[in-house]
Amino acid sequence: MIDILPIQIQPTAASRLAEVDFDHLEFGKAFSDHMFSVDYRDGEWQNAQIVPYGDMAVSPANSALHYGQAIFEGMKAYRQADGGVALFRPLDNWARLNSSAERMCMPTISEELFMQGLTELIRLDEKWVPSAPGYSLYIRPFMFATDGFIGVRPSDSYRFMIFTCPVGLYFNKPLRVRFEQKYVRSAEGGAGYAKNAGNYGAAMYPTKLAQNEGYNQLIWTDASEHQYVEESGTMNAIFVIDGRVVTPALSTSILDGVTRRSVLALARDMGLTVEERRVSSREVMEAQAAGKLNEAFGVGTAATIAPIATIGYQGRDYDLPATDASAFSRRVAAALDAIRTGEGADIHDWMVRV
Ligand SMILES: *Cc1c(COP(=O)(O)O)cnc(C)c1O
């Protein structure tokens, strides 16, 4: 198998960069000039190219549209203090893409091909990486089936693509969330740990019900008892209970977030006690009642660190204390930002220069 493919580059003749208002970026609405694509056919990846971002033709019978053979990643590139650009833990996203691919009977992609497509795309669209504090270039790698065949079996052909979006903050104020104890996002033994498209489609309806009630997001609970915290939307959930950092342990029903992993590493660096274990909604609400729920927040690439201000539980809302600069969520957000912008020491070797 050939690992390094020559990438054919067709630069755009009409950059859209000047049309974008970098002071008012809405998440996911502005797309950079180019996209990377490579096709899997006859058992190998071929035809790697970078072309202007735009629509493309696919078979109406492809198995991504009908049976959900579609997976994705979400990662970011950051403008560095010295003017350069760096990616945050890209190999973690590459590894997770491949683990999602295996779960969905899709082909894996080599580290070389992933990193080569990614770096060449970002170099070409380097001017799209914002430099204002809190802003970054969101990167969306994804793969889908391309066979024109309507039977239920894994496709023989696939396309892997990457496009990017300059973005600001995902949530701009503290969140109102509620425990979901009826609907289920994923079950033990299911595909909740994979970033496959179907997980998100099925979560939209229960999320919309909660949004109609004035919440931003749900906190999913486990499928069998509806008691144990899973995660929140596209974020992992972290609580600070009586000074300890507590988060649900990973399982086949929880997505193994790169932000979660990073926040836990920084918590340990700060000398805090970290507990990865089962966390019940009852434990969280009892801690709240006793004044011991110091903080709750969601963590994810898009949302970064999103503090939770209110938690709905069994029909009532409970407020969390306001956080100040000494709160763990604030300190860890600042530490992560410093690493991502090159202003702080990258002691874990997380950043990869483009
Ligand atoms: C992507 C995602 C996360 C966060 O993962 P990161 O790697 O931190 O971005 C958490 N939960 C779900 C369901 C997700 O899709």
Side-chain angles (χ1 to χ4, degrees):
M1 207 172 134
I2 307 159
D3 277 331
I4 306 282
L5 289 179
I7 300 180
Q8 289 234 354
I9 300 182
Q10 182 198 327
T12 181
S15 171
R16 289 173 285 100
L17 187 62
E19 294 162 25
V20 176
D21 179 359
F22 273 79
D23 295 326
H24 302 96
L25 287 171
E26 272 185 78
F27 193 95
K29 288 206 172 157
F31 299 97
S32 312
D33 279 333
H34 298 93
M35 58 188 191
F36 170 76
S37 100
V38 59
D39 290 319
Y40 185 84
R41 251 182 285 118
D42 305 323
E44 61 186 11
W45 291 102
Q46 46 192 284
N47 191 28
Q49 47 181 338
I50 292 176
V51 296
Y53 178 87
D55 295 349
M56 59 193 173
V58 291
S59 162
N62 87 63
S63 156
L65 294 176
H66 298 269
Y67 312 120
Q69 265 198 307
I71 59 174
F72 66 97
E73 272 303 318
M75 52 198 291
K76 280 177 173 172
Y78 297 84
R79 181 68 66 188
Q80 302 297 285
D82 66 6
V85 173
L87 298 157
F88 182 70
R89 308 190 73 168
L91 294 180
D92 292 47
N93 294 94
W94 162 73
R96 189 172 64 193
L97 179 84
N98 281 343
S99 112
S100 300
E102 275 167 19
R103 182 64 179 79
M104 302 304 288
C105 285
M106 299 165 79
T108 56
I109 194 158
S110 72
E111 175 185 328
E112 292 74 17
L113 181 55
F114 181 88
M115 288 307 294
Q116 194 198 358
L118 185 60
T119 15
E120 291 202 25
L121 179 67
I122 303 222
R123 281 190 192 137
L124 190 61
D125 282 338
E126 196 267 343
K127 291 200 178 69
W128 288 81
V129 183
S131 42
Y135 286 65
S136 56
L137 188 74
Y138 183 78
I139 303 166
R140 171 52 60 92
F142 60 110
M143 191 197 298
F144 56 97
T146 51
D147 279 8
F149 174 72
I150 199 72
V152 183
R153 59 127 173 89
S155 182
D156 287 327
S157 63
Y158 295 86
R159 180 167 296 165
F160 171 70
M161 303 188 68
I162 309 175
F163 64 71
T164 70
C165 305
V167 297
L169 291 182
Y170 195 78
F171 294 116
N172 48 22
K173 52 178 201 265
L175 303 180
R176 292 170 54 81
V177 299
R178 76 156 164 74
F179 283 109
E180 175 58 61
Q181 299 193 288
K182 176 180 176 193
Y183 295 99
V184 166
R185 187 190 90 93
S186 78
E188 259 308 284
Y193 71 89
K195 237 171 152 72
N196 68 294
N199 288 342
Y200 303 83
M204 284 179 191
Y205 177 68
T207 306
K208 194 177 91 175
L209 294 180
Q211 286 169 348
N212 290 345
E213 296 162 22
Y215 299 99
N216 303 96
Q217 261 305 340
L218 295 171
I219 301 182
W220 297 102
T221 54
D222 70 286
S224 51
E225 294 176 59
H226 303 294
Q227 285 304 331
Y228 297 99
V229 177
E230 297 264 302
E231 50 183 317
S232 182
T234 57
M235 301 179 294
N236 293 108
I238 300 185
F239 304 92
V240 181
I241 301 176
D242 207 9
R244 289 163 294 125
V245 177
V246 179
T247 193
L250 295 175
S251 72
T252 51
S253 62
I254 295 181
L255 192 112
D256 179 1
V258 178
T259 320
R260 173 189 181 279
R261 201 182 287 174
S262 309
V263 165
L264 299 185
L266 294 176
R268 292 184 173 109
D269 291 350
M270 291 175 192
L272 293 168
T273 303
V274 174
E275 298 176 4
E276 297 181 64
R277 57 169 169 81
R278 297 226 282 184
V279 188
S280 68
S281 51
R282 181 174 305 160
E283 176 188 354
V284 171
M285 298 323 294
E286 281 175 2
Q288 193 278 339
K292 291 185 172 172
L293 181 60
N294 314 124
E295 301 173 54
F297 51 97
V299 300
T301 297
T304 63
I305 310 267
I308 292 171
T310 303
I311 302 184
Y313 179 61
Q314 296 182 344
R316 279 195 55 192
D317 284 346
Y318 299 86
D319 290 329
L320 271 75
T323 54
D324 61 22
S326 70
F328 169 64
S329 55
R330 298 258 206 114
R331 287 189 295 137
V332 80
L336 261 181
D337 265 355
I339 293 173
R340 287 166 164 165
T341 56
E343 279 151 12
D346 179 18
I347 58 164
H348 295 280
D349 268 331
W350 285 338
M351 303 307 294
V352 175
R353 284 266 170 175
V354 173

